[in-house]
Amino acid sequence: MKLFDPAFPKPVLIEEAEYHNHQDEWLNDNPLIRAITVKDTDDVESEIGYIPKLPSNIQSLNGVYQKTALHRLSCINVVHPWSAALYEDILSAILFGYINRDPRKPEIRRFQRELSSLSMLKKRDEIYEKIFVSPLSPLTTTSNAVVTGPSGSGKTTTIRRTLLAIPQVIIHPEFDNTPEKLTQIVWLSFDMPASDSPKALALAFFRAIDMAIGSNYYNEWKGRKSEGIEHHYAAMQLLILKYNIGFIHIDEMQFMLKFGSGRNSVTLQAVEALFNKLSVPTLTSCTPEGLKLFDPVPAEFSNNLDVITTTRRVYSDQIYVFELAPIDSDLFDDLFSAFFPASLSQKQKGFSESFKFKVATLSAGLLAVITRLAQLYHRIALSVTDIPEEELLEDIFIEQFGPLAEALRRLHETGNEDMLENLLNRDDANNVVWALEEQKGKKIQKRVSVPDINNDHKG
């Protein structure tokens, strides 16, 4: 029996590095680079895309099994038009970033020793000076890109599925004919914490490392109440060197708009100093509002880092804009075919063009909305056969999306996502909640009254 393939397979761990020569001979002097293989973009897209098959007899299954099968829709991943370009740009940035980071070089080993000694100092100002103002690093700056688009447009899913096409951890049992074991973390991905505490950023970074290699840095540093911000930053840089981290993706960067600009808040200067000055390329993702972070603003104090220079470095590469998927686009065609297969329609020929247009109008072309709407629709439509498909779709949408319904309609008409973003709630893990529920003490627009479809209709 073939096992059900998960939507997000585990990141690849290569327990023993195999070395390959690249077409560009300049890349073949560093084992960190030679341990990474380059795939054809067609192969990458076939890995990224995932459309699970539904049982052919789903109409006759017990209700429990129908709903179990429909949960597979949440695992769908349609290849986004940016996927191939993201893979090529991310991997080329990784390979180039490693060129000056050969761990066999004496200057890299010396830098690691100096940073280790620095991290044990008691004087926080001295650590701050060496990390941010006059960095010890002998490395040069590197490329940094930005992905932007409204919530629910598929940014995070596309980036993380693309990263999964690249091995995350490679173990080198020996290095340069020595018995020295070396762990190479090729990439890390984590969310910007909603808190402006630099310690929260460090803990998110430590947790990402723990998830990659099974370490315990998060718990270790969570309990270090007396350690200063600078000690957390120094530890992050030490781990970058220790594990040869090659790429950093930070999601939800728009949270920084609410942060302060002082030393006790996470700033772009800190992000730039922590990663960019160690030659670690970064990719940051945010809503369009988050792009305000990268507007160059003159420094308020003369002893601050040059904000304009920092912005240029953090935002030095390409910007990828994830837009709404319009009904006449290939992306929407692929999304509709995946989430509304003909086998689930009441009609023998499948869903009509007018039904497809209704999905586009209600969802505004947002992947997250299409995913949830499709699951809700099919769950009810399998037992409700006396309501036309389009009418049923709209009733479900109004009932289940509440106050977001009107905002999504206007988003479809105007393309202005600000109205929607201001209504969105987030759970404790900072994930957008695509259904607003009435809460005590909060004045929230009530849902439009519609028939209780689940109770009034039986199959």
Side-chain angles (χ1 to χ4, degrees):
M1 180 182 71
K2 184 178 180 181
L3 296 177
F4 175 65
D5 295 325
F8 284 89
K10 291 183 178 180
V12 174
L13 163 64
I14 297 178
E15 296 185 358
E16 184 167 349
E18 294 183 4
Y19 302 108
H20 314 271
N21 285 329
H22 294 278
Q23 295 178 10
D24 182 354
E25 294 184 1
W26 196 42
L27 302 175
N28 293 329
D29 292 333
N30 187 333
L32 295 178
I33 300 175
R34 293 182 59 214
I36 302 172
T37 57
V38 176
K39 302 175 183 176
D40 185 82
T41 51
D42 289 339
D43 295 333
V44 171
E45 289 188 346
S46 67
E47 289 183 30
I48 293 173
Y50 182 76
I51 302 177
K53 291 183 179 180
L54 297 175
S56 58
N57 64 336
I58 190 172
Q59 307 280 356
S60 60
L61 293 179
N62 176 286
V64 170
Y65 298 118
Q66 286 181 340
K67 292 175 181 178
T68 302
L70 290 176
H71 278 299
R72 300 181 195 176
L73 296 177
S74 64
C75 300
I76 289 174
N77 189 64
V78 172
V79 177
H80 193 277
W82 276 124
S83 296
L86 274 172
Y87 171 78
E88 291 181 346
D89 292 346
I90 289 173
L91 189 54
S92 63
I94 291 172
L95 297 178
F96 184 78
Y98 275 133
I99 286 177
N100 291 319
R101 295 182 56 202
D102 190 332
R104 298 171 299 179
K105 289 185 176 180
E107 58 266 31
I108 299 297
R109 294 179 181 271
R110 183 173 62 253
F111 176 39
Q112 191 168 0
R113 289 194 301 270
E114 291 175 352
L115 188 57
S116 180
S117 299
L118 177 67
S119 66
M120 292 185 286
L121 294 176
K122 299 297 183 181
K123 295 182 179 179
R124 297 178 180 178
D125 287 342
E126 190 171 345
I127 301 175
Y128 182 85
E129 176 76 18
K130 291 297 185 182
I131 292 179
F132 293 100
V133 182
S134 303
L136 293 167
S137 176
L139 304 172
T140 57
T141 58
T142 188
S143 63
N144 305 277
V146 176
V147 171
T148 187
S151 297
S153 58
K155 303 184 300 296
T156 303
T157 300
T158 299
I159 293 169
R160 288 180 174 158
R161 284 289 307 211
T162 301
L163 286 172
L164 286 171
I166 304 170
Q168 185 181 25
V169 180
I170 302 174
I171 306 298
H172 302 256
E174 60 178 12
F175 218 67
D176 199 23
N177 296 320
T178 68
E180 180 181 1
K181 182 178 180 180
L182 184 141
T183 299
Q184 177 184 2
I185 299 178
V186 182
W187 56 264
L188 286 179
S189 177
F190 56 91
D191 292 351
M192 174 63 67
S195 164
D196 68 346
S197 167
K199 292 184 179 181
L201 173 65
L203 289 175
F205 176 81
F206 296 147
R207 187 192 293 276
I209 291 180
D210 292 344
M211 292 177 66
I213 61 174
S215 51
N216 196 40
Y217 292 110
Y218 176 85
N219 287 330
E220 177 186 341
W221 280 89
K222 187 178 181 181
R224 295 192 180 188
K225 305 294 185 182
S226 61
E227 297 282 7
I229 295 168
E230 290 76 17
H231 290 95
H232 284 71
Y233 282 156
M236 291 172 70
Q237 288 197 332
L238 273 172
L239 292 178
I240 288 173
L241 295 176
K242 178 178 181 180
Y243 294 116
N244 302 280
I245 296 174
F247 186 85
I248 298 287
H249 165 233
I250 308 177
D251 199 16
E252 307 288 8
M253 282 290 284
Q254 69 274 3
F255 289 157
M256 289 186 65
L257 289 172
K258 300 178 181 179
F259 296 176
S261 58
R263 188 162 160 180
N264 292 324
S265 295
V266 177
T267 61
L268 280 180
Q269 292 97 315
V271 173
E272 193 267 338
L274 286 170
F275 306 125
N276 190 244
K277 288 183 179 176
L278 292 187
S279 199
V280 179
T282 62
L283 175 66
T284 55
S285 46
C286 61
T287 60
E289 182 187 23
L291 291 179
K292 296 176 184 176
L293 288 166
F294 305 104
D295 293 339
V297 178
E300 294 183 13
F301 305 103
S302 59
N303 61 340
N304 279 0
L305 292 177
D306 185 350
V307 178
I308 295 178
T309 300
T310 299
T311 299
R312 176 179 59 79
R313 288 174 175 170
V314 176
Y315 190 11
S316 64
D317 210 330
Q318 183 169 348
I319 179 171
Y320 306 84
V321 179
F322 278 56
E323 300 175 335
L324 305 174
I327 190 170
D328 57 351
S329 66
D330 291 339
L331 177 58
F332 186 82
D333 284 343
D334 293 341
L335 289 170
F336 185 80
S337 299
F339 285 100
F340 293 92
S343 61
L344 292 180
S345 174
Q346 297 172 4
K347 302 175 181 178
Q348 188 174 2
K349 293 183 179 180
F351 295 99
S352 65
E353 284 297 310
S354 58
F355 182 91
K356 180 179 179 180
F357 183 80
K358 180 73 72 174
V359 172
T361 302
L362 296 177
S363 69
L366 285 175
L367 171 62
V369 178
I370 294 173
T371 302
R372 183 167 182 267
L373 181 59
Q375 285 185 283
L376 292 168
Y377 173 81
H378 295 310
R379 185 182 301 173
I380 295 172
L382 283 172
S383 60
V384 176
T385 58
D386 58 344
I387 299 180
E389 289 181 332
E390 291 178 44
E391 181 181 338
L392 180 62
L393 179 72
E394 186 155 10
D395 283 349
I396 292 170
F397 177 77
I398 293 173
E399 181 184 66
Q400 297 295 328
F401 283 83
L404 293 177
E406 183 61 26
L408 284 164
R409 280 201 181 97
R410 294 188 184 181
L411 174 61
H412 171 74
E413 293 171 358
T414 67
N416 184 356
E417 69 279 344
D418 290 343
M419 181 186 306
L420 177 64
E421 294 288 341
N422 292 334
L423 278 175
L424 293 177
N425 276 353
R426 292 179 177 269
D427 59 21
D428 293 339
N430 290 325
N431 297 312
V432 170
V433 178
W434 288 101
L436 293 184
E437 297 183 359
E438 296 176 21
Q439 302 175 28
K440 293 181 179 179
K442 290 189 176 182
K443 186 178 180 181
I444 298 178
Q445 178 184 348
K446 293 184 178 180
R447 294 179 177 177
V448 178
S449 178
V450 295
D452 189 338
I453 300 168
N454 287 294
N455 295 330
D456 288 356
H457 301 83
K458 303 293 181 183

